[in-house]
Amino acid sequence: MTKPTRRTSILFHIVEFNEGGIESSLLQWLKIYDRREFDVSLSVMFTSPAFENHYRALIPADVKLEMLVDRPWLNYFQARRHANRLGKPGRVARDVFNSLAVRPYVTRRLAALARQHDVIVDFDMSLRRWAGRFDIAWLGVNHFSFDARLGHRPRKAKRLSRQYARYDAVVALNEQMAAEATSMFGDTLQRLFVLPNAIDVDGIRASANAAEAPRAPCSAPYIVSVARLDEYQKDHGTLLQAYAQLLREVDVPEHLVIAGDGGSRQALQARAAELGIAARVHFVGHVDNPHALVAGASLFVLSSRFEGMPMGLLEALTHGKAIVATDCPTGPRDILDNGRFGILVPVSDTAAMTEAFRNLLTVETLRHELSSKAFARAQYYGIEESNKRFAACVATARGARGEPAIATAAR
């Protein structure tokens, strides 16, 4: 009789849930990892309106949920922040309160959870102060370009370098990001892994056919963008200018559908009106399931100034879309393999984006060629390949601590 194998117990962690790409990628990670090999739990530092109203229901049923700050009085300042009632004195009080009350409480909770798990995956590196403690393997996941965030902040980069060195391994989402980490931190990191965001290809394609999935707000064909409305990073302003220029140069039927919400929404709507394109630009707000919108589009566009490993591009490939993306740090160049699977344009370059739109919308053979390649590219980020990469990363981090390997289940 074969002795049952013990699964590796993984604790994923995130500080809180808001409306962003990290949250979406975390949900994919939680869904796709092989339950024959991994027993998966999730810890969340603080609750939030987005978590209670949306994300809590999306966590897989077999994932054990741990709220680290699980006492209402410890959430007092966070609740005021989410209600926009904190203010500068409140922020000062919050910082003092966190040092005196929240951190000691979290330390005790983490110590208890560490005894129940084999690995902590700090998915947003919000546990940097605790990394390396409790006699357990730690993986820290970085989601954004190191250069874009820290290249002009050497003092912060030096401080983070010391904190990142506490992790048994730091995970970069793509090769470009890993190269930035090597250049910025040198040999201070114990180990550096490239572990791309994971996707459930079949699940994503099925989501486009769900009865509740929102459809396009227009009957015309359309270009689609799915991203938070945050001009500092996402640069929808250039997208609007390029689309307006396209309409001046070429008679195309495509409208522009922008799915996402954020602090820049009113300014972007005003800009669309100034450009005279408001009637053909549709701001649909945050969409829980954008897959039908993406699947029905003529092409997908990402206009960001910087990224990490944008889930939107992976999902667009899964739906077989022709793609226009900025060649920003980091993610698009790796995902699109230097332009083999989509058109890369310089960041904030209106003319280049306009030309890419024109080529894809007027040269049907080019659009179909990229569409036919897209789905095959998505498989690289699918369940089977992602599980192999994650298992190797975990085994290496644990082995470096001298921990015995846990036999994996037969496939």
Side-chain angles (χ1 to χ4, degrees), residues 71-223:
R71 298 289 186 269
W73 63 277
L74 289 172
N75 272 294
Y76 173 78
F77 286 102
Q78 288 297 112
R80 290 185 68 84
R81 179 175 70 84
H82 286 299
N84 294 316
R85 296 173 57 193
L86 196 56
K88 186 174 181 178
R91 290 194 294 272
V92 174
R94 177 196 59 188
D95 292 344
V96 173
F97 181 74
N98 283 347
S99 296
L100 297 178
V102 176
R103 287 179 194 164
Y105 186 82
V106 167
T107 299
R108 293 192 294 272
R109 294 277 287 125
L110 281 173
L113 289 172
R115 290 192 290 270
Q116 304 168 26
H117 295 85
D118 300 308
V119 181
I120 293 176
V121 179
D122 188 3
F123 202 70
D124 57 0
M125 302 184 92
S126 58
L127 296 179
R128 295 188 302 273
R129 289 184 176 88
W130 293 272
R133 299 174 61 181
F134 312 125
D135 194 26
I136 188 174
W138 285 76
L139 302 181
V141 184
N142 177 75
H143 292 266
F144 298 104
S145 164
F146 289 104
D147 283 348
R149 293 177 61 228
L150 301 171
H152 60 294
R153 305 173 72 181
R155 294 178 64 180
K156 184 174 182 180
K158 186 175 181 180
R159 173 168 55 84
L160 288 179
S161 177
R162 293 193 298 268
Q163 294 176 335
Y164 290 175
R166 300 169 186 165
Y167 292 94
D168 294 281
V170 169
V171 171
L173 301 186
N174 52 59
E175 296 290 349
Q176 186 180 359
M177 192 184 295
E180 290 180 353
T182 299
S183 175
M184 185 169 293
F185 304 123
D187 58 0
T188 60
L189 303 181
Q190 294 193 52
R191 283 158 212 89
L192 181 64
F193 284 93
V194 175
L195 200 63
N197 278 336
I199 54 174
D200 177 357
V201 172
D202 292 339
I204 288 172
R205 290 170 69 87
S207 294
N209 300 315
E212 71 278 6
R215 266 53 184 179
C218 57
S219 57
Y222 59 92
I223 301 165

